[in-house]
Amino acid sequence: MPSMPVGFWGDTEGDRYRDTYFDTYPGVWCHGDWVRFSAATGSCTVAGRSDATLNRGGVRLGTAEFYRVVEELPEVDDSLVVHLEDPVGSPGELLLFVALHDGSELDDALRKRIETVLRNALSPRHVPDSVIPVPVIPRNRTGKKLELPVKRLLLGAALSEAVSRDTLAEPTSLDPFTVLAAERQVQGWIGPA
């Protein structure tokens, strides 16, 4: 514990495997969970996925907190939140994507309710800079929301670099994010690293 996979099905050359686990620290396995080691006891605590925590202005925000609050609204079927850090140190940009219940519309009143419920239930730091409607929230085949691939796309990565369509529960679910990323790049909001 934790256990290290030895490869991915269909990845005969091992490229996806290396990109997933050895890209952060070349030659060193990085599994993506936060771990705390105790010098006093020699034990460790696995705290959970590092990509499921946002860091906005030095404050850690759990994505599950957002989902618990926003998805209680009757108009919202599903949601996904990402934080795009600013390399020069400003608070960055917090984007909340919502898949709405049939017949619901993301108008100014619903945006305001989403902002108010997040501010009241959580904190002012949880209020997103933008609330953006999408047809469906991208998930992998096991149901995990694809926060990190969406963030990578919005920061300028190509779809093929962010995730394999073969892993998506709905193969076209990332299409609106690739369109948004291209629009943002044209407007100068982001650029490839």
Side-chain angles (χ1 to χ4, degrees), residues 63 69 88 104 119 121 132 137 150-151 181 188-189 192:
T63 57
V69 172
V88 297
S104 295
R119 178 178 282 110
I132 303 163
I137 297 299
V150 166
K151 180 177 178 175
W189 291 351

Side-chain angles (χ1 to χ4, degrees), residues 73-154:
L73 295 170
E75 297 90 346
V76 179
D77 282 340
D78 204 357
S79 62
L80 184 137
V81 64
V82 295
H83 180 242
L84 305 178
E85 293 86 2
D86 184 346
V88 297
S90 78
E93 193 175 8
L94 187 64
L95 305 176
L96 176 65
F97 298 93
V98 291
L100 299 175
H101 186 72
D102 286 342
S104 295
E105 179 185 339
L106 186 61
D107 56 13
D108 290 340
L110 180 55
R111 274 192 175 88
K112 185 69 174 166
R113 270 195 352 172
I114 290 171
E115 292 171 2
T116 301
V117 73
L118 284 168
R119 178 178 282 110
N120 293 341
L122 300 173
S123 81
R125 289 195 188 263
H126 288 81
V127 176
D129 296 302
S130 298
V131 181
I132 303 163
V134 292
V136 64
I137 297 299
R139 293 177 178 267
N140 67 16
R141 290 184 180 186
T142 62
K144 182 181 184 295
K145 294 182 187 198
L146 298 179
E147 298 155 346
L148 195 52
V150 166
K151 180 177 178 175
R152 287 179 181 155
L153 285 172
L154 295 175

Side-chain angles (χ1 to χ4, degrees), residues 25-95:
Y25 308 105
V28 177
W29 175 58
C30 178
H31 56 87
D33 288 338
W34 292 110
V35 178
R36 281 190 296 274
F37 294 93
S38 169
T41 64
S43 64
C44 71
T45 302
V46 179
R49 294 291 306 165
S50 58
D51 59 324
T53 303
L54 311 175
N55 185 343
R56 190 173 200 200
V59 176
R60 288 180 50 153
L61 310 174
T63 57
E65 297 171 355
F66 285 89
Y67 306 145
R68 178 180 48 82
V69 172
V70 172
E71 292 170 20
E72 284 294 314
L73 295 170
E75 297 90 346
V76 179
D77 282 340
D78 204 357
S79 62
L80 184 137
V81 64
V82 295
H83 180 242
L84 305 178
E85 293 86 2
D86 184 346
V88 297
S90 78
E93 193 175 8
L94 187 64
L95 305 176

